[in-house]
Amino acid sequence: MQVLKRIKKILPVFAAVIAAPAVSFASVSMTLPQYINEILLNNHTLKAAIKNVEASYYSVLASVAYQRPKTNLAASGSWGTAQANGDEKEYHPAIGNLKFSLTQRIDISGSYKLDEKQNILGYEVSRANFDSNLNTLIATAEETWWSAVLARENIKLQREIMLQRAENHRVTMEKYNQELVPRLDIVRSEAQVVEAETLVKDAETIYLNLLAELSLMAGGLDVEPVEGELQVPQFDIALDYDAALLARPDVRGAKLNLERAKIVKKLTAKGLSPTLDFGFQWTPWADPKASATPNGGEAGASLTLTVPLTNGNETKYKVLNTDRLVQAAEANLDALQEQTRRDITVAMNNWRNAAASEKDKKRQVERSEEELRITELMYSEGMGAQIDLINAQTAYQLVKTEYLDSIKDMYVALVALRKAIGDYSPNEDGSWREAVVRYGKGNDILGEPGLKILRTNSKK
């Protein structure tokens, strides 16, 4: 039970993230670390998962209760209306007794330790699953966050383009009034404005939907990313496949599942093991004394050895069943290890592609901006054709949108890499891994007031 005492100390780590009550605001502008902190405090799915982990812990304590002694105190009494026979010397119409009993099954086959260990491993698996879900949740939250940031940038871009096209329409109207351009140019410029207005509405809808996703993960709190200059992310992750296998909680869970399956197989093989039961009974009071066994004021003890001979091949087939479960756990672990390699490789490829695209699109944006500036100037001075201006505006819109997409892809690739190496899950001691601390989330989540919450729960 020393292991149970050890894991009981870890429960406050999970309790810390639900200690603060959810608070609703109309709309809150916050940084990414603050938003992640809100998720840990207020996400309802996370709260349910934490309670399931706690329930699993208490289930372990209950599952090993049969290994401990059982005591009972029983009182009984009876009364009858029958009369004594003529030759009967003594008759008691009222009979009562008080009994105390103690029973204990003695482990002579080594099953107790195996059963306790497999139950503890079941709890550890539930914790690993919780960490894996948390790793996925925070990765999803951060990816959604950056998607919202880039969606807002896209709104700015589409509004800028709409203003450009509105100005183009104004200039075209002036030229038309001066009979310098045909009616077709008016139709074209007006269509461009209508298209730009539609694109603005589409961009705003995408942004609002992403804000709804952010709100859902924050427990219903309406949030939006704080305004700031858009930064191009830098690669700052130390990739190590072996370290990722140690850090990823789903891989850890698969290893624990394999270990547990092997122990369950050993435990199942003891299905025909002999059992030894100890019993003790004491009757402190009985009236009459001989009305109870043992008699009043007496005690008795017993040892019962039971040796199973056959059980219809139940043990044989259960062992075969658990053996296949061991093989399944081994295959699942191998699959997760290969998946980890695949996840890292794909995310790294996506990062390289997005980083190269960002540099390429940045140069294209610079050229497109210059081309658009010159084309607008020529058109306003009457030296350029409207179709050239429309083409320049369309090209600028396309390449600028692709540039924003490349930055978004860089953020998404980094998130995928950190998720692949388990960087969004807590360590076994409850502290956060590198990615969380890098963003300052460690200070916000497990610093102040987070550490105060942990200390308070630990004392309790």
Side-chain angles (χ1 to χ4, degrees), residues 168-234:
N168 173 40
H169 182 61
R170 185 191 67 79
V171 172
T172 303
M173 287 292 295
E174 289 183 356
K175 289 187 174 185
Y176 177 75
N177 293 333
Q178 297 173 10
E179 299 183 351
L180 298 176
V181 296
R183 174 66 181 173
L184 179 60
D185 283 10
I186 295 293
V187 175
R188 285 174 178 168
S189 63
E190 188 174 3
Q192 290 290 303
V193 173
V194 173
E195 180 188 25
E197 291 174 348
T198 301
L199 291 174
V200 169
K201 292 176 182 177
D202 291 344
E204 290 173 345
T205 300
I206 292 173
Y207 179 62
L208 291 175
N209 289 342
L210 289 169
L211 291 185
E213 292 293 331
L214 293 177
S215 175
L216 174 65
M217 287 183 281
L221 179 65
D222 291 330
V223 301
E224 60 178 344
V226 65
E227 289 281 357
E229 183 181 355
L230 179 63
Q231 300 292 331
V232 178
Q234 301 297 318

Side-chain angles (χ1 to χ4, degrees), residues 271-407:
L272 288 174
S273 299
T275 59
L276 182 63
D277 293 290
F278 169 76
F280 172 80
Q281 287 188 329
W282 171 48
T283 308
W285 172 82
D287 184 23
K289 289 186 176 182
S291 64
T293 304
N295 294 342
E298 297 180 357
S302 65
L303 278 175
T304 303
L305 177 65
T306 303
V307 181
L309 298 178
T310 62
N311 60 357
N313 288 329
E314 178 184 3
T315 298
K316 173 184 175 181
Y317 292 117
K318 281 188 174 181
V319 169
L320 291 174
N321 170 264
T322 53
D323 177 70
R324 298 308 184 272
L325 293 178
V326 169
Q327 295 178 30
E330 289 173 342
N332 184 56
L333 176 58
D334 292 339
L336 280 175
Q337 290 174 339
E338 290 304 314
Q339 180 182 328
T340 300
R341 187 184 301 275
R342 188 280 312 270
D343 291 347
I344 292 175
T345 301
V346 170
M348 194 64 209
N349 291 339
N350 290 340
W351 163 263
R352 293 193 183 100
N353 180 66
S357 177
E358 186 274 333
K359 293 180 180 179
D360 178 58
K361 297 303 177 183
K362 184 177 181 179
R363 292 193 297 268
Q364 292 185 39
V365 166
E366 293 172 352
R367 292 194 295 267
S368 182
E369 286 177 342
E370 180 65 13
E371 178 185 356
L372 179 60
R373 186 187 65 81
I374 294 173
T375 306
E376 286 178 337
L377 180 61
M378 293 178 62
Y379 182 71
S380 62
E381 296 295 331
M383 294 183 293
Q386 185 196 46
I387 192 65
D388 294 333
L389 176 60
I390 292 175
N391 289 337
Q393 289 175 338
T394 302
Y396 173 76
Q397 177 187 23
L398 177 63
V399 72
K400 190 65 182 292
T401 301
E402 290 176 345
Y403 176 68
L404 292 178
D405 287 341
S406 66
I407 296 178

Side-chain angles (χ1 to χ4, degrees), residues 47-103:
K47 289 181 179 182
I50 292 168
K51 290 304 179 182
N52 285 330
V53 172
E54 293 180 359
S56 178
Y57 168 74
Y58 292 114
S59 178
V60 172
L61 296 181
S63 66
V64 296
Y66 75 96
Q67 300 179 10
R68 306 185 186 96
K70 302 294 188 300
T71 59
N72 289 289
L73 186 63
S76 65
S78 63
W79 179 82
T81 60
Q83 300 297 318
N85 295 327
D87 59 347
E88 193 171 354
K89 296 181 179 179
E90 187 176 1
Y91 176 70
H92 299 275
I95 298 174
N97 62 72
L98 181 66
K99 283 187 178 182
F100 171 81
S101 64
L102 181 148
T103 58

Side-chain angles (χ1 to χ4, degrees), residues 121-135:
L121 285 172
Y123 165 75
E124 295 290 348
V125 168
S126 69
R127 284 185 52 210
N129 291 338
F130 171 86
D131 291 347
S132 180
N133 292 334
L134 185 58
N135 187 52

